[in-house]
Amino acid sequence: MRVMIADDAVLFREGLARVLTEAGFEVAAQAGDAGSLLAHVLRDPPDAVIVDIRMPPTHTAEGLDAARTLRERHPSVGVLVLSAHVEPHFALQLIESGAHGAGYLLKERVADLGELTDAVRRVAAGGLVVDPSVVAQLVGRKRTRSPLDELTERERDVLEVMAEGRSNQAISQRLYLSPKTVEAYVRSVFTKLGLQPGADDNRRVLAVLTYLRG
């Protein structure tokens, strides 16, 4: 799998490239700013890009802006945004701007090679990845009455794991439920949230957005 990395911190970028290479990925290009990343992708689109959320010149949200541009111009390229801090509003913006092949992960997760490589593969395959810490913070907000209030405790458990971008199989393993039981809970969640029958992938994304917005 081919990936590109954009981060203005040279040591972090080189270290990330090294661990990904050792894990079997091909690091096709590295960039120190968003403009260079977009140019690399335009010339030779990879399977996925990993981009820091704050880069030159303003160190605000250049990485997020680049992610939006990539979602528009290269929808087949997965985008994993890395952040040094839990910033839920940025995670929501990213997900809403591209409801598939997108992810938001804290930089501290890079230390867990398995979690990092899993996230890269999932966004490259069109999946959705949200850091568990971001999910927890969003879920902890005070809410007014919402469709989520109709869910049982177990249905909320299932939806919380789904919000991390996990498959039914992964939910089954995390919550120690049978695959058929998970399928039943997922169908019930869709029904209670008023998501009409259609492509399950789309309904999963809509369910997750409902959950994260509260």
Side-chain angles (χ1 to χ4, degrees):
M1 179 178 293
R2 298 175 67 253
V3 299
M4 293 183 179
I5 303 169
D7 195 300
D8 64 307
V10 178
L11 290 178
F12 178 83
R13 189 174 74 232
E14 291 287 350
L16 186 57
R18 179 177 177 180
V19 297
L20 287 173
T21 299
E22 291 176 351
F25 292 82
E26 176 190 344
V27 178
Q30 297 184 42
D33 59 77
S36 297
L37 172 65
L38 294 175
H40 281 305
V41 175
L42 179 62
R43 285 194 295 269
D44 187 17
D47 298 298
V49 301
I50 303 172
V51 56
D52 185 18
I53 201 166
R54 300 181 187 278
M55 289 193 296
T58 67
H59 293 278
T60 53
E62 283 82 1
L64 189 66
D65 293 338
R68 290 198 191 97
T69 300
L70 290 171
R71 300 306 306 139
E72 294 172 0
R73 299 179 183 173
H74 307 278
S76 64
V77 176
V79 180
L80 181 64
V81 173
L82 298 181
S83 177
H85 308 287
V86 177
E87 299 170 294
H89 56 293
F90 283 146
L92 283 174
Q93 288 177 40
L94 174 66
I95 296 165
E96 291 170 341
S97 69
H100 66 279
Y104 183 99
L105 207 62
L106 292 181
K107 280 190 169 182
E108 64 188 49
R109 306 287 176 190
V110 172
D112 185 331
L113 184 58
E115 187 162 4
L116 172 65
T117 56
D118 179 61
V120 174
R121 290 190 177 98
R122 280 194 282 149
V123 297
L128 180 66
V129 176
V130 182
D131 194 283
S133 297
V134 175
V135 173
Q137 188 166 123
L138 286 167
V139 172
R141 296 176 306 172
K142 292 183 178 179
R143 294 185 173 92
T144 56
R145 184 74 179 172
S146 81
L148 298 174
D149 296 329
E150 304 300 320
L151 302 182
T152 66
E153 183 177 353
R154 207 51 168 160
E155 288 166 348
R156 290 180 69 91
D157 290 341
V158 168
L159 184 52
E160 181 172 352
V161 182
M162 189 192 300
E164 296 174 14
R166 307 294 179 179
S167 65
N168 281 6
Q169 181 62 36
I171 294 172
S172 175
Q173 294 171 352
R174 173 83 69 86
L175 300 179
Y176 303 103
L177 299 170
S178 72
K180 287 188 177 180
T181 299
V182 170
E183 289 175 8
Y185 277 130
V186 169
R187 285 196 300 270
S188 181
V189 167
F190 290 160
T191 299
K192 290 183 178 180
L193 296 185
L195 302 176
Q196 299 303 315
D200 273 356
D201 284 349
N202 292 336
R203 289 200 292 175
R204 290 177 83 89
V205 170
L206 292 173
V208 166
L209 286 175
T210 300
Y211 185 64
L212 296 180
R213 287 168 176 160

